[in-house]
Amino acid sequence: MKIKNINLVSYLQWPVIMLVVLFVTACDEMLEEAPKSVAVEVFYNTAEEVEAAVNAIYTPLRINTFANYVATLECQSDWMYGRGSWDPLSQYQGLNDANITRVGGFWNGFYLAIRNANLVVSNAPKGSAISEADVKKYVAEAKFLRAFCNFHLVRNWGAIPLRTENNMAEKDLAKSSVDDVYALIESDLLDAEMNLPDTPSAIGRPSRWAAKTFLADVYLELKKYPEAAARAREVMQSGKYKLVQVASKTDFQYNLFGPEILTTTEEIFYFKYSRLDGQGNYILWISNHPSTDLFSYDGAYAVHGDKTNPNYVNWDEGDLRKKLWDNIDFGLGPNTLVSSKYVDPNAISQSGAGNDQPVYRYADLLLIYAEAAARSENAVSADALEALNNVRRRAYGFAPDAPSEVDYDAAGLTVTGFIDLIVKERGYEFLYEGKRWHELKRLEKVNELILAGKGKTVAAKHLLWPIPLSEMNYNKGLNPEADQNPGY
Amino acid sequence: MEYFTIYLLQVLRKGRQCNRWTETFRQCLPAPSVQRKIIMRINVVSLLLLISCLHLYANGNAQRLSFSVQHLTLEKVMDKIEKQSGYAFWIQTDLLRQSKKVSLSVKNQTLTETLDQLFSGQALEYSIIDKTIVVKKKAPPAAVKETVVPLIPEKKVRDRVGWPDRINREQRLQELQRMEREIRGRVTDENGVALPGVSILLKGTQRGATSDSEGQFELTIPDSGSPVLVFSFVGYLNQELSAGNRSILNVSLQPDLKALEEVVVIGYGTVKKSDLTGSVTQIKAREINAFPNANVLQALSGRAPGVHVRQSSGAPGAAISVRVRGGNSIQGTNEPLYVIDGFPVSGNPTQLNNADIESVEILKDASATAIYGSRGANGVVIITTKRGKSGRTVVDFETSYSSQKLIKKLDLMNAKEYAMFYNEQAVNDNITPFFSQAAIDGFGEGFDWQDFVFRKAPILTSSLNVNGGNDKTQFSISGSAFGQGGIIKGSNYNRYSLQTSIAHKVSDKFRVDFSSTLTRLTTKRKDSGGGSRGSSMINAAMSAPPTLTPFNEDGSYRVLSTAYPFIATDIRNPINFINEQSNEIRANVVLANLNLQYNLTKDLTLKVMGGIENRDDREDRYTTTGFFNSQGAAVVEAGQFTSFLNENTLNYTKSFGEKHHLSAVVGITYQDFLSTSIAGSGSGFLSDIFETYNLGAAATPNVPGSGYSKSVLASYLGRVNYNFGDKYLATISMRRDGSSRYSEGLKWGYFPSAALAWRLSNEDFLKQNTTISDLKVRSSWGLTGSPGIDPYSTLNQLTSGRTIFNDGYANTFAPGGVLPGSLKWETTAQFDIGIDLGVWANRLFLTADYYVKNTHDLLSTVLLPTSLGYSRTTQNVGKVRNSGVELGLDAGILKGAFTWNINGNISFNRNKVVSLYDGEDILRDNVGVIIINDATGILREGRPIGQFWGYLEDGYDDLGNIVFKDLNEDGSISQSDKTYIGDANPDFLYGLNSTMTFKNFELNIFFQGSQGNDIFNASAITNTMDYGFGLNMPKSVFYDHWTPENPDAKYPRISLRTPVRVSDRFIEDGSYLRLKNIMLAYNLPTQRLGIQQLRNLQLYVSGQNLLTFTKYSWWDPETNFRLDHSSYPAAKSVTFGLRVGF
């Protein structure tokens, strides 16, 4: 071929081909994704990373879920009434769609926290730059929180799929028995008890004392009274906690449950909230009424009380805790009561109140001890009575640890009578803290006390919540007929 | 299709003095068949260039020539002569190709001397007409060498005997000279622009004249009889006019739309409309700009078959979504790809002003869209902005003013009815009635909250376009402003844009095009919609008690939520949203393209394009301390999006012999997409004076946020078009796309397509048919993809968050709720068969298409048991099928002084979910309004996307409570009693546009409608069924609810315990027929009035949305597709406008 006959196409042929080749080889590199973020596979290596992963276990529990959860449980107590969409909970005839959806949200929240805990339990030991001690500490914290989730799941739903670090990737998982669930709860808490620090690095993290308190509660639930009493006694003897003394209703509102206190001597394990963006407590929106001016964002007074409830009628007027109910007629009649236990006039949004949410406080531990001790010893010991009296004195504004005029007397007190007093005291003490319904179930007093308090009979199906469809439909390990809780 | 471009360049080169083209060109035609071909080619480019360059004149004088060349192509020599003489050559390409090389030396010679010398050795001859040298094949010796007077016999004669035929010329001229007079006049185009070069022939003779540069002509005609003049000009319809006794005859020629074969823009090229093998609908500037629309998407509504424009609300600047032939995807986007001047833009093309748009092409079938590969599955909308045209510089200005108001008000209870209603509810619920009889008697109509919230609002538009250039450089510059006020005070949408396009021919081979759009968009939003019990502004406008006013005695805002003991705590006084909350978005958008085009050979062109799309936007939201329960809250969010594009294509065009025409394009393209964002916020401000401009002053500063995302799309593409004798057309295309978004090993996808078309009207058996003027059947098949997922979706990323220890933040890191999976493209296989039929010279033109689209590897949500901690994952498992029929009809019903054109379209689409993961239903479209919190829709195999899902009602029980059908007969009502309660998909969509002109008046009527679509009226849950919370409701609830005396009422017993579920009650027929626009325009006869400066002037008055025929009970069926949940209502408007051209 003569050179002068080469036309422009031929001239361009090679450069074009080279360009194409370059482009082809460059392409696959260009298509690599390089996000400015971290992925599961490269995380959990340092103490800081593992701590951030542990922190993520709290998020699904704290944000809105827990406030709604507490309110849902309270609707089923013998004291309190749900309004609007919460009303069916107070009718005790099983859950309707709205409440099935709502409790389904709690299920999701607990299991999301369990997933985040399992990621820590599974990945932290593989970390490349983390000490053995730190691994133990963080795994213990993860297990504490996993136990917390399972303890709530098992009491509301009964037998459940038990998600551990060993089956966390299995889509289909059959239910484990209630006993198996408690076995894991116990072993997780024993690990936590051993490996959690005496004083945690931050308020809001569990200490070994929190683990012992939790363990005492679990043993009480399991009717292992000596173990419960022993754990509770250890906590009492540690000298780490004491009740906050109050003189007025306002002291309760601001010094014990207040939005601005960092912590109290009574705090064993709380979910911490703050007046920060998206980090506030939502329960104030649920409980408050706009007319009280105790919460800067009104309130939906969705769960309320009633003046005619015998528990309220028989409540001693001298008990400062009774004053945490305000009588407000908002359209449901003149006897309506609205709780003012949680107040924050300076909240930054509907879910922006600074009040912490108690999970275990010392008053709880004292009453756990009183009951467990009395039951295990089959006698009302002085220590047990003192524990109850501590709580009672404080409620009347007296020094918790000095004898007072409102003290119960050991004279003529049977174990049963003593436990009845504890149950009554717990009712007064833990209103709006989400404890009552589980307590009634544990004591097998659901029918009796709800009939007495609210004049309602409880359908059997109401005792367990339905496993949400989001689980039943997509977990092939469950049998839709046999594995759903009765009545749903 | 690229062969037009090549040809176009030649035409440009040869046509410097194109004012004489027509004439010269007719004279030089050797035979009718060849003439036909050239006309066709001319026609192709005529829209782009030919007509406009008629105004261009070269001033070259007949100078003496001097040059010397050795063995040079004839073409090159011609160039030299052109340059020196100022004369232009006209020659057919074929002849040029066959010519011999030339060696020639001339010194100070005249043009004719030079030309004689030049052509002596060639089989060519020339003639000079005005300033054009027409070169043709040497005629047989007998032929007359030169023609001076353009004599054009009638077509039939010409066909029969050949042409030119001037046998008895002398004789006839003598006869005609006996009794004669002069007639003068001016020929213009349809816009009143002078048309030079128009041939004017005295009918029945060969006597004629040609119009000059001013469009003026003079002709001697017989003084007796009724002489008829025939005006003809390429690209325009011949016009015959009787001279009568007139001595002056002004004529305006109408363009011949058929002859001016429209060019349709397709992906990576253009094609003649007649050569289309795919399904493409073109919408012209005139329709897009017919009435004020916030953007081009709104303007598409009802204009094209198979295109469904859905407005999410009536708010100014509200999001609009477009569906081409139904939705393919469940999870990914269903929006079409928008391509502006060749640049595939991200998101909706809201930066363009409608006045700047030349045309919009909607590519629908796979043959048309497959060249866009992985982004073509939802259709492609190609937007072409105005380009410069060489010729006289023209200036167009238009402006309009509209006044908008609420289309309709809901007929709500007045104060008295309201009080009685809630007293009745109190009685039913054993609560003491609140209103005393005296209070009730004192109430009248009360306060009208709808009148309070909604107002009249203006739209102002104006645009100025300057357009012109010469044969080397063309430009178009526009500046425009669009400003729409919202019918809620404080809401608006403004756009200011500057559009530039410059094209320059560097040399015969090298061409540069640049276009850019710079846009400033600002919008203020007042679209607090949705909500329940009056928690949003729109819902509050309906729910606020008519017994109360917005202000207290002291002028402060009334707190509605505590005004009555029974009223909902959620309700807000709408004045809070109107006065105390602002949301403003400001965006600067740049779209710029540089296109280099180089002709490697005459058949092969290299195009390199570089472009950038950039959008910087910032959103400021502020809630003042005056807002109910607010301490002041500020949010600022800013984002930057940048997309770079590089496209390199080679275009090849070649004709083989007479019948084989081939064009091909291959290319490599690269585009990347980079988004970054930053956000800050805070609450608790001492003063509202800071607004969003001092976040540092917030008592509670919030956690700042920022984000990054980048993806890359690399592609290879190719297409071949083959045309055999204008009868058989074939297109094959292939694109290979690589996207960074997909999993390793699944990043690349192939998207082929093929199409065949048969133009039956060019077959011999139909050529002579007087009824059928055009007939083409076409069929195509191809694969296209849909992007579906966001960048990084396949990676197991951790998201960061915060939790609290002590009293402060601690960081959290955990995976999200979606378990990442291995993902690839969604692929849609589309088959299309269509027919284009024109009858009676295309006065009636029908386009019909049938298509089937099967989408597979659908990105489907796979729900996971929530105990896994992940709620869902995504897999390529689903299948969806869309099929449908589209019809478009253009009819020129009346011609002449009174013209009437109608075009209409109708489309039927059916869609169906074919398969889902494991056959599992997916519940969706959750409505949360306190009394109902449930899904309203279901995705289920065998059912359409848009299937409503809920309970059936079965009257009332003895207490007036709704009875729901227990479908599974288990004695209780649960989720398993839900069934199909409606379908959001319309049976068909249609649009009808009618344009009538008479003298200087024009009447345009445009209807648009949807038939058979259901709407789930979620607004009605709160405002007709949520009793006991003091919400205002329609009068019908008050007058037609259950009482023992009225057991068959429309509404149940008024009680806060009335159970409400997602039921068929809320399904309403959303069919409507709407008069979208009616316009009466007056065109000032500028020519007749002798206003030389004005090219045209139009004044018009129009109305938008003036009439709506619908059974839908709430505000508007059009702006509430599928779900109506207290959205910003739509407006109707009256517009006055002016269009003027200089």
Side-chain angles (χ1 to χ4, degrees), chain A residues 12 24 37-38 55 108 115 203 296-297 330 471, chain B residues 565 600 629 716 797-798 806 811 815-816 866-867:
Chain A
L12 279 170
V24 172
S37 67
V38 287
N55 295 348
N108 299 347
R115 179 201 70 180
I203 304 164
S296 44
Y297 282 84
F330 54 79
E471 185 71 31
Chain B
L600 296 173
N629 256 347
Y716 307 88
Q797 295 179 100
L798 299 174
N806 298 324
N811 278 321
T866 44
S867 69

PDB file of all heavy atoms in Angstrom, chain A residues 12 24 37-38 55 108 115 203 296-297 330 471, chain B residues 565 600 629 716 797-798 806 811 815-816 866-867:
ATOM      1  N   LEU A  12      -6.494   7.571  11.632  1.00  0.00           N
ATOM      2  CA  LEU A  12      -7.139   7.636  12.937  1.00  0.00           C
ATOM      3  C   LEU A  12      -7.365   6.269  13.564  1.00  0.00           C
ATOM      4  O   LEU A  12      -7.643   6.145  14.730  1.00  0.00           O
ATOM      5  CB  LEU A  12      -8.480   8.360  12.820  1.00  0.00           C
ATOM      6  CG  LEU A  12      -8.360   9.878  12.798  1.00  0.00           C
ATOM      7  CD1 LEU A  12      -9.681  10.497  12.427  1.00  0.00           C
ATOM      8  CD2 LEU A  12      -7.891  10.391  14.149  1.00  0.00           C
ATOM      9  N   VAL A  24     -11.509   0.639  27.878  1.00  0.00           N
ATOM     10  CA  VAL A  24     -11.952  -0.656  28.390  1.00  0.00           C
ATOM     11  C   VAL A  24     -11.213  -1.010  29.668  1.00  0.00           C
ATOM     12  O   VAL A  24     -11.814  -1.402  30.663  1.00  0.00           O
ATOM     13  CB  VAL A  24     -11.740  -1.762  27.326  1.00  0.00           C
ATOM     14  CG1 VAL A  24     -12.022  -3.123  27.928  1.00  0.00           C
ATOM     15  CG2 VAL A  24     -12.636  -1.511  26.130  1.00  0.00           C
ATOM     16  N   SER A  37     -17.475   5.885  53.829  1.00  0.00           N
ATOM     17  CA  SER A  37     -18.156   5.338  54.995  1.00  0.00           C
ATOM     18  C   SER A  37     -17.482   4.042  55.390  1.00  0.00           C
ATOM     19  O   SER A  37     -16.620   3.534  54.678  1.00  0.00           O
ATOM     20  CB  SER A  37     -19.633   5.066  54.669  1.00  0.00           C
ATOM     21  OG  SER A  37     -19.730   4.037  53.720  1.00  0.00           O
ATOM     22  N   VAL A  38     -17.881   3.507  56.546  1.00  0.00           N
ATOM     23  CA  VAL A  38     -17.290   2.238  56.986  1.00  0.00           C
ATOM     24  C   VAL A  38     -18.308   1.117  56.790  1.00  0.00           C
ATOM     25  O   VAL A  38     -19.506   1.347  56.784  1.00  0.00           O
ATOM     26  CB  VAL A  38     -16.847   2.286  58.462  1.00  0.00           C
ATOM     27  CG1 VAL A  38     -15.606   3.131  58.597  1.00  0.00           C
ATOM     28  CG2 VAL A  38     -17.971   2.809  59.350  1.00  0.00           C
ATOM     29  N   ASN A  55     -22.799   1.235  71.681  1.00  0.00           N
ATOM     30  CA  ASN A  55     -23.719   2.353  71.844  1.00  0.00           C
ATOM     31  C   ASN A  55     -24.941   2.207  70.956  1.00  0.00           C
ATOM     32  O   ASN A  55     -26.047   2.633  71.297  1.00  0.00           O
ATOM     33  CB  ASN A  55     -23.015   3.677  71.526  1.00  0.00           C
ATOM     34  CG  ASN A  55     -21.892   3.985  72.511  1.00  0.00           C
ATOM     35  OD1 ASN A  55     -21.792   3.327  73.554  1.00  0.00           O
ATOM     36  ND2 ASN A  55     -21.073   4.966  72.189  1.00  0.00           N
ATOM     37  N   ASN A 108     -39.827  -5.266  66.962  1.00  0.00           N
ATOM     38  CA  ASN A 108     -38.766  -4.878  66.021  1.00  0.00           C
ATOM     39  C   ASN A 108     -37.630  -4.166  66.741  1.00  0.00           C
ATOM     40  O   ASN A 108     -36.461  -4.402  66.468  1.00  0.00           O
ATOM     41  CB  ASN A 108     -39.321  -3.964  64.926  1.00  0.00           C
ATOM     42  CG  ASN A 108     -40.399  -4.636  64.102  1.00  0.00           C
ATOM     43  OD1 ASN A 108     -40.579  -5.852  64.172  1.00  0.00           O
ATOM     44  ND2 ASN A 108     -41.134  -3.863  63.326  1.00  0.00           N
ATOM     45  N   ARG A 115     -29.781  -7.605  67.456  1.00  0.00           N
ATOM     46  CA  ARG A 115     -28.854  -7.747  66.331  1.00  0.00           C
ATOM     47  C   ARG A 115     -27.582  -6.959  66.590  1.00  0.00           C
ATOM     48  O   ARG A 115     -26.466  -7.461  66.402  1.00  0.00           O
ATOM     49  CB  ARG A 115     -29.502  -7.232  65.037  1.00  0.00           C
ATOM     50  CG  ARG A 115     -28.575  -7.340  63.842  1.00  0.00           C
ATOM     51  CD  ARG A 115     -28.950  -6.418  62.700  1.00  0.00           C
ATOM     52  NE  ARG A 115     -28.707  -5.013  63.042  1.00  0.00           N
ATOM     53  CZ  ARG A 115     -28.946  -4.011  62.228  1.00  0.00           C
ATOM     54  NH1 ARG A 115     -29.443  -4.241  61.028  1.00  0.00           N
ATOM     55  NH2 ARG A 115     -28.711  -2.763  62.597  1.00  0.00           N
ATOM     56  N   ILE A 203     -22.359   7.624  82.875  1.00  0.00           N
ATOM     57  CA  ILE A 203     -23.674   7.378  83.465  1.00  0.00           C
ATOM     58  C   ILE A 203     -24.622   6.970  82.343  1.00  0.00           C
ATOM     59  O   ILE A 203     -24.712   7.651  81.328  1.00  0.00           O
ATOM     60  CB  ILE A 203     -24.189   8.641  84.172  1.00  0.00           C
ATOM     61  CG1 ILE A 203     -23.162   9.099  85.205  1.00  0.00           C
ATOM     62  CG2 ILE A 203     -25.540   8.380  84.816  1.00  0.00           C
ATOM     63  CD1 ILE A 203     -23.395  10.521  85.684  1.00  0.00           C
ATOM     64  N   SER A 296     -43.406  21.780  77.638  1.00  0.00           N
ATOM     65  CA  SER A 296     -43.502  22.897  76.704  1.00  0.00           C
ATOM     66  C   SER A 296     -44.120  22.504  75.358  1.00  0.00           C
ATOM     67  O   SER A 296     -44.326  23.349  74.511  1.00  0.00           O
ATOM     68  CB  SER A 296     -42.122  23.513  76.496  1.00  0.00           C
ATOM     69  OG  SER A 296     -41.151  22.500  76.335  1.00  0.00           O
ATOM     70  N   TYR A 297     -44.383  21.255  75.154  1.00  0.00           N
ATOM     71  CA  TYR A 297     -44.984  20.856  73.876  1.00  0.00           C
ATOM     72  C   TYR A 297     -46.317  20.144  74.077  1.00  0.00           C
ATOM     73  O   TYR A 297     -46.585  19.113  73.473  1.00  0.00           O
ATOM     74  CB  TYR A 297     -44.006  20.030  73.044  1.00  0.00           C
ATOM     75  CG  TYR A 297     -42.989  20.918  72.394  1.00  0.00           C
ATOM     76  CD1 TYR A 297     -41.852  21.316  73.078  1.00  0.00           C
ATOM     77  CD2 TYR A 297     -43.202  21.440  71.124  1.00  0.00           C
ATOM     78  CE1 TYR A 297     -40.939  22.189  72.514  1.00  0.00           C
ATOM     79  CE2 TYR A 297     -42.290  22.312  70.551  1.00  0.00           C
ATOM     80  CZ  TYR A 297     -41.165  22.693  71.239  1.00  0.00           C
ATOM     81  OH  TYR A 297     -40.286  23.560  70.665  1.00  0.00           O
ATOM     82  N   PHE A 330     -60.861  16.888  80.409  1.00  0.00           N
ATOM     83  CA  PHE A 330     -60.590  17.268  79.012  1.00  0.00           C
ATOM     84  C   PHE A 330     -61.620  16.671  78.071  1.00  0.00           C
ATOM     85  O   PHE A 330     -61.400  16.554  76.871  1.00  0.00           O
ATOM     86  CB  PHE A 330     -59.170  16.873  78.600  1.00  0.00           C
ATOM     87  CG  PHE A 330     -58.828  15.424  78.829  1.00  0.00           C
ATOM     88  CD1 PHE A 330     -59.266  14.455  77.945  1.00  0.00           C
ATOM     89  CD2 PHE A 330     -58.044  15.031  79.911  1.00  0.00           C
ATOM     90  CE1 PHE A 330     -58.936  13.117  78.139  1.00  0.00           C
ATOM     91  CE2 PHE A 330     -57.721  13.699  80.101  1.00  0.00           C
ATOM     92  CZ  PHE A 330     -58.167  12.735  79.226  1.00  0.00           C
ATOM     93  N   GLU A 471     -42.960 -10.990  61.482  1.00  0.00           N
ATOM     94  CA  GLU A 471     -42.185 -12.166  61.856  1.00  0.00           C
ATOM     95  C   GLU A 471     -42.859 -13.439  61.336  1.00  0.00           C
ATOM     96  O   GLU A 471     -42.240 -14.272  60.684  1.00  0.00           O
ATOM     97  CB  GLU A 471     -42.057 -12.242  63.381  1.00  0.00           C
ATOM     98  CG  GLU A 471     -41.151 -13.375  63.862  1.00  0.00           C
ATOM     99  CD  GLU A 471     -39.688 -13.101  63.557  1.00  0.00           C
ATOM    100  OE1 GLU A 471     -39.285 -11.918  63.535  1.00  0.00           O
ATOM    101  OE2 GLU A 471     -38.943 -14.061  63.317  1.00  0.00           O
TER     102      GLU A 471
ATOM    103  N   PRO B 565     -62.980  21.887  75.089  1.00  0.00           N
ATOM    104  CA  PRO B 565     -62.440  20.729  75.808  1.00  0.00           C
ATOM    105  C   PRO B 565     -62.354  19.484  74.934  1.00  0.00           C
ATOM    106  O   PRO B 565     -61.559  18.600  75.201  1.00  0.00           O
ATOM    107  CB  PRO B 565     -63.429  20.537  76.956  1.00  0.00           C
ATOM    108  CG  PRO B 565     -64.652  21.274  76.575  1.00  0.00           C
ATOM    109  CD  PRO B 565     -64.208  22.408  75.698  1.00  0.00           C
ATOM    110  N   LEU B 600     -14.314  13.474   9.093  1.00  0.00           N
ATOM    111  CA  LEU B 600     -13.085  12.761   8.748  1.00  0.00           C
ATOM    112  C   LEU B 600     -13.034  12.526   7.252  1.00  0.00           C
ATOM    113  O   LEU B 600     -12.023  12.710   6.603  1.00  0.00           O
ATOM    114  CB  LEU B 600     -13.037  11.432   9.494  1.00  0.00           C
ATOM    115  CG  LEU B 600     -12.976  11.553  11.019  1.00  0.00           C
ATOM    116  CD1 LEU B 600     -13.117  10.194  11.646  1.00  0.00           C
ATOM    117  CD2 LEU B 600     -11.685  12.222  11.452  1.00  0.00           C
ATOM    118  N   ASN B 629     -46.034  26.992  70.323  1.00  0.00           N
ATOM    119  CA  ASN B 629     -45.124  26.132  71.070  1.00  0.00           C
ATOM    120  C   ASN B 629     -43.712  26.086  70.522  1.00  0.00           C
ATOM    121  O   ASN B 629     -43.049  25.063  70.601  1.00  0.00           O
ATOM    122  CB  ASN B 629     -45.634  24.690  71.060  1.00  0.00           C
ATOM    123  CG  ASN B 629     -46.252  24.371  72.398  1.00  0.00           C
ATOM    124  OD1 ASN B 629     -46.091  25.099  73.358  1.00  0.00           O
ATOM    125  ND2 ASN B 629     -46.962  23.261  72.451  1.00  0.00           N
ATOM    126  N   TYR B 716     -20.658   1.752  25.947  1.00  0.00           N
ATOM    127  CA  TYR B 716     -20.366   1.629  24.520  1.00  0.00           C
ATOM    128  C   TYR B 716     -21.702   1.577  23.821  1.00  0.00           C
ATOM    129  O   TYR B 716     -22.629   0.930  24.309  1.00  0.00           O
ATOM    130  CB  TYR B 716     -19.631   0.335  24.198  1.00  0.00           C
ATOM    131  CG  TYR B 716     -18.398   0.101  25.018  1.00  0.00           C
ATOM    132  CD1 TYR B 716     -18.486  -0.544  26.244  1.00  0.00           C
ATOM    133  CD2 TYR B 716     -17.159   0.509  24.549  1.00  0.00           C
ATOM    134  CE1 TYR B 716     -17.354  -0.751  27.003  1.00  0.00           C
ATOM    135  CE2 TYR B 716     -16.024   0.297  25.308  1.00  0.00           C
ATOM    136  CZ  TYR B 716     -16.126  -0.338  26.525  1.00  0.00           C
ATOM    137  OH  TYR B 716     -15.009  -0.547  27.271  1.00  0.00           O
ATOM    138  N   GLN B 797     -22.829  -1.146  54.614  1.00  0.00           N
ATOM    139  CA  GLN B 797     -22.302   0.028  55.314  1.00  0.00           C
ATOM    140  C   GLN B 797     -22.895   0.175  56.702  1.00  0.00           C
ATOM    141  O   GLN B 797     -23.992  -0.267  56.977  1.00  0.00           O
ATOM    142  CB  GLN B 797     -22.647   1.284  54.529  1.00  0.00           C
ATOM    143  CG  GLN B 797     -21.997   1.373  53.194  1.00  0.00           C
ATOM    144  CD  GLN B 797     -22.427   2.650  52.511  1.00  0.00           C
ATOM    145  OE1 GLN B 797     -21.717   3.635  52.509  1.00  0.00           O
ATOM    146  NE2 GLN B 797     -23.619   2.639  51.958  1.00  0.00           N
ATOM    147  N   LEU B 798     -22.126   0.850  57.528  1.00  0.00           N
ATOM    148  CA  LEU B 798     -22.622   1.181  58.858  1.00  0.00           C
ATOM    149  C   LEU B 798     -23.085   2.628  58.845  1.00  0.00           C
ATOM    150  O   LEU B 798     -22.449   3.481  58.235  1.00  0.00           O
ATOM    151  CB  LEU B 798     -21.508   1.011  59.893  1.00  0.00           C
ATOM    152  CG  LEU B 798     -20.924  -0.397  60.035  1.00  0.00           C
ATOM    153  CD1 LEU B 798     -19.740  -0.377  60.988  1.00  0.00           C
ATOM    154  CD2 LEU B 798     -21.985  -1.354  60.551  1.00  0.00           C
ATOM    155  N   ASN B 806     -24.276  10.077  80.227  1.00  0.00           N
ATOM    156  CA  ASN B 806     -24.195  11.290  81.045  1.00  0.00           C
ATOM    157  C   ASN B 806     -25.324  12.196  80.578  1.00  0.00           C
ATOM    158  O   ASN B 806     -26.472  11.798  80.610  1.00  0.00           O
ATOM    159  CB  ASN B 806     -22.830  11.957  80.934  1.00  0.00           C
ATOM    160  CG  ASN B 806     -21.724  11.027  81.440  1.00  0.00           C
ATOM    161  OD1 ASN B 806     -21.940  10.290  82.400  1.00  0.00           O
ATOM    162  ND2 ASN B 806     -20.581  11.052  80.790  1.00  0.00           N
ATOM    163  N   ASN B 811     -21.230   8.497  70.160  1.00  0.00           N
ATOM    164  CA  ASN B 811     -21.388   8.006  68.786  1.00  0.00           C
ATOM    165  C   ASN B 811     -21.893   6.573  68.734  1.00  0.00           C
ATOM    166  O   ASN B 811     -21.546   5.762  69.588  1.00  0.00           O
ATOM    167  CB  ASN B 811     -20.036   8.021  68.077  1.00  0.00           C
ATOM    168  CG  ASN B 811     -19.712   9.388  67.564  1.00  0.00           C
ATOM    169  OD1 ASN B 811     -20.599  10.088  67.085  1.00  0.00           O
ATOM    170  ND2 ASN B 811     -18.462   9.775  67.679  1.00  0.00           N
ATOM    171  N   PRO B 815     -25.350  -1.269  61.337  1.00  0.00           N
ATOM    172  CA  PRO B 815     -25.930  -1.364  59.993  1.00  0.00           C
ATOM    173  C   PRO B 815     -27.347  -0.793  59.998  1.00  0.00           C
ATOM    174  O   PRO B 815     -27.981  -0.682  61.049  1.00  0.00           O
ATOM    175  CB  PRO B 815     -25.973  -2.876  59.722  1.00  0.00           C
ATOM    176  CG  PRO B 815     -25.149  -3.516  60.774  1.00  0.00           C
ATOM    177  CD  PRO B 815     -25.131  -2.586  61.945  1.00  0.00           C
ATOM    178  N   GLY B 816     -27.857  -0.464  58.821  1.00  0.00           N
ATOM    179  CA  GLY B 816     -29.234   0.013  58.718  1.00  0.00           C
ATOM    180  C   GLY B 816     -30.209  -1.145  58.771  1.00  0.00           C
ATOM    181  O   GLY B 816     -29.852  -2.278  59.088  1.00  0.00           O
ATOM    182  N   THR B 866     -38.442  -9.823  61.267  1.00  0.00           N
ATOM    183  CA  THR B 866     -37.781  -8.704  61.934  1.00  0.00           C
ATOM    184  C   THR B 866     -36.913  -9.161  63.085  1.00  0.00           C
ATOM    185  O   THR B 866     -36.089  -8.406  63.571  1.00  0.00           O
ATOM    186  CB  THR B 866     -38.803  -7.672  62.417  1.00  0.00           C
ATOM    187  OG1 THR B 866     -39.894  -8.363  63.033  1.00  0.00           O
ATOM    188  CG2 THR B 866     -39.315  -6.844  61.268  1.00  0.00           C
ATOM    189  N   SER B 867     -37.058 -10.413  63.499  1.00  0.00           N
ATOM    190  CA  SER B 867     -36.166 -10.891  64.551  1.00  0.00           C
ATOM    191  C   SER B 867     -34.727 -10.973  64.040  1.00  0.00           C
ATOM    192  O   SER B 867     -33.792 -11.055  64.824  1.00  0.00           O
ATOM    193  CB  SER B 867     -36.623 -12.266  65.066  1.00  0.00           C
ATOM    194  OG  SER B 867     -36.436 -13.245  64.075  1.00  0.00           O
TER     195      SER B 867
END
